């Protein structure tokens, strides 16, 4: 079966889009027996003669698919920030496979693919209230982790060049000389990553880039670990022999809290970093979408996302709040020259494209991969299908549900909202974005809470720890979120867990 005709494609694609918009699967997790059964059906060895297309697809759909979790297909899957897939993105994703474009080189007379990628990125800037021309180095990635790798790689290149500027006129480049020689020439003996409550992928990026996980240094305030302790930050920046990348967590994954609250705080960071030749990277994987909000009830989130345009680079995720399929992230940087110094695919004349300063840059010279999936197409499709209002509406529903959960937790006698706060209930709720962190007051129940909630199969949450104790986390990120439909399911599940516990003890 080849998908050649428009009709055949439409039939297939519509079936897939339907999967993402039908009433959600009743249970968010398959039961263990189903998973074990599927496992027993896995082909043990490569068949000498193929099974054929029909039998292979039957095998995937009937034997394996029942054992997949509902993750992004269900709005009741709140375990990780998984997002979902809008119908427009699902349809476009099938076109990506059908046309199988390789988006590595800008070939304006041969395919429009790189134009689509660049336009999708500039539409995304418009959605996020950024000026596209401010971010001349922009590219789709496989996710926020690889965007963080790009951010630290660009930062590493920049801070070494800055540290060398007063010593030599010659360009000092990590990309060219390697980190050891470039640091020696710059008179630098340490590159430090200064941050607060970073996502684990920041340390992973530091490891990949030879900076080391140990270079990640958390400088949070003792009373508010997500916010920079500015005097401590100054002291670290001043340290002789050190070059610094400042990594701003714009919505932290456990609590949803943002490192800055207002443009003034970003301006203060910018001033400090300029003084010491430091690079600012913002990890705003899901936080950056707060920039779509306008209503007064979200003013605290709006303030927290203000001034992110003052960063040197920024990480965003596509497969979370943007609700396009895996795997998609994006990366923006204000430094076009740094892009090529780090990612230039050297001496590949056959891959060269124009040097025009305004031209679209070939993705293979500004990102990790050579050959790349056309992941821009689902983004483009979804952005034009729903527009600025559609995306704002999705996010408002997600925030409203998260606030509904938080309110229930605060008012219930059995659960407790985290982190503990002395603010008024209204202020606490006004600060909730899409994450709700909480625990059970009964410590014995709390130890089993996540598993007991998962065992309901009605909702899925993830476990974490807070203040040395187990904690439980909701992350709301699906485009289909509907407060009136979903909140009763959640509160019922949370109540059932408590009732069952009380009955058994
Ligand atoms: C999810 C997340 C990441 C990692 O993103 P992937 O897309 O899973 O690679 C990084 N930073 C933050 C803040 C995140 O929420």
């Amino acid at each position: 079966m080849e998908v050649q005709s428009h009709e055949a494609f439409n039939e297939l694609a519509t079936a897939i889009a339907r999967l993402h918009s039908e009433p959600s699967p009743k249970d968010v997790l398959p039961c263990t027996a189903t998973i074990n059964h599927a496992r027993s059906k896995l082909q043990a060895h490569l068949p000498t003669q193929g099974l054929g297309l029909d039998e292979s697809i039957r095998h995937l759909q009937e034997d394996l698919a029942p054992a997949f979790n509902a993750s992004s297909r269900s709005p009741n899957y709140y375990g990780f920030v998984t997002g979902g897939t809008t119908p427009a993105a699902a349809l476009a994703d099938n076109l990506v496979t059908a046309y199988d474009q390789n988006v590595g080189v800008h070939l304006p007379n041969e395919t429009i693919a790189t134009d689509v990628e660049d336009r999708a990125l500039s539409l995304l800037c418009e959605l996020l209230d950024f000026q596209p021309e401010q971010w001349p180095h922009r590219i789709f990635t496989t996710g926020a982790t690889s965007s963080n790798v790009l951010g630290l790689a660009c930062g590493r290149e920049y801070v070494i060049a800055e540290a060398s500027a007063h010593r030599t006129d010659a360009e000092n480049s990590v990309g060219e000389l390697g980190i050891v020689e470039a640091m020696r020439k710059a008179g630098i003996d340490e590159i430090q990553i200064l941050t607060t409550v970073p996502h684990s992928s920041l340390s992973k990026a530091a490891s990949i880039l030879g900076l080391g996980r140990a270079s990640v240094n958390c400088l949070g305030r003792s009373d508010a670990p997500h916010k920079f302790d500015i005097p401590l930050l100054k002291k670290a920046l001043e340290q002789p022999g050190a070059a610094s990348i400042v990594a701003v967590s714009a919505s932290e994954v456990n609590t949803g809290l943002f490192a800055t609250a207002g443009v003034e705080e970003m301006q203060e960071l910018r001033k400090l970093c300029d003084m010491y030749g430091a690079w600012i990277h913002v990890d705003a994987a899901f936080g950056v979408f707060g920039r779509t909000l306008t209503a007064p009830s979200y003013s605290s989130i709006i303030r927290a996302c203000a001034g992110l345009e003052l960063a040197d680079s920024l990480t965003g995720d596509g497969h979370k709040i943007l609700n396009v399929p895996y795997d998609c992230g994006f990366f923006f940087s204000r430094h076009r020259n740094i892009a090529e110094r780090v990612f230039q695919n050297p001496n590949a004349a056959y891959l060269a494209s124009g040097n025009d300063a305004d031209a679209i840059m070939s993705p293979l010279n500004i990102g990790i991969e050579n050959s790349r999936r056309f992941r821009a197409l689902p983004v483009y499709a979804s952005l034009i299908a729903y527009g600025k209002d559609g995306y704002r509406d999705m996010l408002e529903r997600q925030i409203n549900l998260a606030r509904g959960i938080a309110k229930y937790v605060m008012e219930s006698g059995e659960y407790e909202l985290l982190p503990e706060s002395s603010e008024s209930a209204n202020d606490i709720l006004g600060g909730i974005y899409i994450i709700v962190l909480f625990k059970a007051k009964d410590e014995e129940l709390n130890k089993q809470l996540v598993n007991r909630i998962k065992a309901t199969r009605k909702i899925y949450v993830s476990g974490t720890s807070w203040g040395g104790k187990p904690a439980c986390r909701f992350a709301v990120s699906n485009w289909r979120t509907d407060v009136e439909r979903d909140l009763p399911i959640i509160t019922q599940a949370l109540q059932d867990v408590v009732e069952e516990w009380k009955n058994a003890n």
Side-chain angles (χ1 to χ4, degrees), residues 40-59:
S40 75
K41 294 276 186 179
L42 283 171
Q43 297 290 318
H45 297 288
L46 177 69
T48 309
Q49 287 192 316
L51 306 181
L53 187 57
D54 279 351
E55 171 53 18
S56 303
I57 297 300
R58 187 211 59 74
H59 170 61

Side-chain angles (χ1 to χ4, degrees), residues 81 142-146 148 199 201 251 253 283 285-286 317 319-320:
V81 193
T142 53
T145 299
S146 47
N148 281 340
H199 188 270
S201 61
S251 201
V253 82
D283 183 354
F286 60 92
D317 238 329
H319 47 229
K320 292 180 180 169

Side-chain angles (χ1 to χ4, degrees), residues 28-106:
V28 293
L29 291 180
C31 62
T32 312
T34 307
I35 295 178
N36 288 340
H37 179 73
R39 194 171 285 126
S40 75
K41 294 276 186 179
L42 283 171
Q43 297 290 318
H45 297 288
L46 177 69
T48 309
Q49 287 192 316
L51 306 181
L53 187 57
D54 279 351
E55 171 53 18
S56 303
I57 297 300
R58 187 211 59 74
H59 170 61
L60 304 191
Q61 289 197 313
E62 292 177 15
D63 299 339
L64 306 188
F68 296 152
N69 65 32
S71 69
S72 67
R73 283 174 49 218
S74 168
N76 292 319
Y77 194 93
Y78 303 108
F80 306 92
V81 193
T82 51
T85 302
T86 66
L91 285 164
D93 199 55
N94 289 285
L95 283 175
V96 171
T97 302
Y99 290 97
D100 203 23
Q101 300 289 286
N102 180 0
V103 196
V105 186
H106 181 48

Side-chain angles (χ1 to χ4, degrees), residues 6 11 25 45 73 82 91 105 180 214-215 228 249 308 347 349 377 385 389 439 459 500:
H6 191 56
E11 209 175 293
H45 297 288
R73 283 174 49 218
T82 51
L91 285 164
V105 186
V180 174
S215 70
F228 280 104
S249 302
L308 298 187
N347 308 324
L377 198 66
D389 289 349
K439 66 185 278 293
I459 58 173
E500 255 177 53

Side-chain angles (χ1 to χ4, degrees), residues 13-14 41 47 51 55 119 143 237 299-300 343 434 451 456 500:
T14 310
K41 294 276 186 179
L51 306 181
E55 171 53 18
R119 188 60 53 87
L237 286 166
S299 59
S300 146
F343 299 104
I434 57 152
N451 285 337
T456 68
E500 255 177 53

